[in-house]
Amino acid sequence: DHLNNLNIIPVSISYEKDPNDLIKAKELYLTDLNKHYYKEPKEDLISIAEGIKGDKGNVHISIGSKMNFDSNSYDSCSNQISLMIKHLYKLHSTNYAAAIIQGKKNIENSHKPEKIDIAIQFLKDRVKLIPEDMHPYFLNQYSNPINSK
């Protein structure tokens, strides 16, 4: 009853390009390697600023409907919210392009081949800016939303 009284409306925002993709790849890689990542002073502030002003390409915002909950279980309600957000999430050409670069098979999408080719080239150009060991971390950021749909 408490959650239903909150009038929860799920929202999903997806970006074609992430202005912080290289920084995130580095952080994920170093965290995996060292099991801890030390941020530089003001790194979060710089990341937020870049996220706001950086090139995001196409941006898609999906606003769902008011949710109703039949359970008092935190896990059940949070899973319901997560599933709705994933359902609302729009996949972009960069998501499919990353999966293709990674060799994932049977990736169906509604994007024109030319759009996928442009996205592949964008990702290949970006990935050249980081060490090869970080490439999987970079590409996973873009391809993971396909796996979670």
Side-chain angles (χ1 to χ4, degrees):
D1 287 341
H2 179 68
L3 282 177
N4 286 326
N5 288 331
L6 293 176
N7 297 318
I8 294 174
I9 298 174
V11 176
S12 179
I13 303 172
S14 61
Y15 306 99
E16 180 182 22
K17 302 172 183 176
D18 181 351
N20 290 309
D21 53 8
L22 298 176
I23 295 167
K24 288 178 186 175
K26 177 183 175 185
E27 182 173 348
L28 291 167
Y29 170 74
L30 292 175
T31 299
D32 222 16
L33 187 68
N34 302 321
K35 304 298 180 215
H36 190 72
Y37 176 71
Y38 297 96
K39 292 188 178 190
E40 297 294 324
K42 298 184 182 179
E43 186 173 334
D44 283 335
L45 210 52
I46 293 167
S47 178
I48 291 168
E50 184 59 30
I52 292 169
K53 69 177 182 152
D55 180 15
K56 290 174 264 317
N58 290 320
V59 177
H60 186 265
I61 300 173
S62 293
I63 301 172
S65 302
K66 178 182 169 235
M67 297 187 72
N68 292 306
F69 303 94
D70 298 327
S71 170
N72 288 326
S73 161
Y74 169 80
D75 288 336
S76 174
C77 293
S78 65
N79 286 339
Q80 188 178 342
I81 294 168
S82 294
L83 286 172
M84 185 54 67
I85 291 171
K86 288 176 186 178
H87 172 74
L88 294 170
Y89 191 89
K90 180 187 188 292
L91 295 169
H92 293 277
S93 58
T94 48
N95 302 116
Y96 294 106
I100 291 167
I101 292 169
Q102 290 175 310
K104 296 180 181 176
K105 304 292 182 203
N106 302 322
I107 305 295
E108 293 185 27
N109 71 82
S110 60
H111 296 279
K112 293 181 180 176
E114 305 81 40
K115 184 86 169 149
I116 297 293
D117 290 342
I118 291 168
I120 287 172
Q121 191 57 55
F122 165 77
L123 293 174
K124 284 183 175 181
D125 290 344
R126 294 285 288 164
V127 84
K128 288 177 188 175
L129 302 173
I130 56 175
E132 191 172 340
D133 289 350
M134 293 182 194
H135 291 188
Y137 296 89
F138 173 84
L139 292 170
N140 284 343
Q141 292 175 74
Y142 286 96
S143 66
N144 280 344
I146 291 173
N147 302 332
S148 66
K149 283 280 279 177

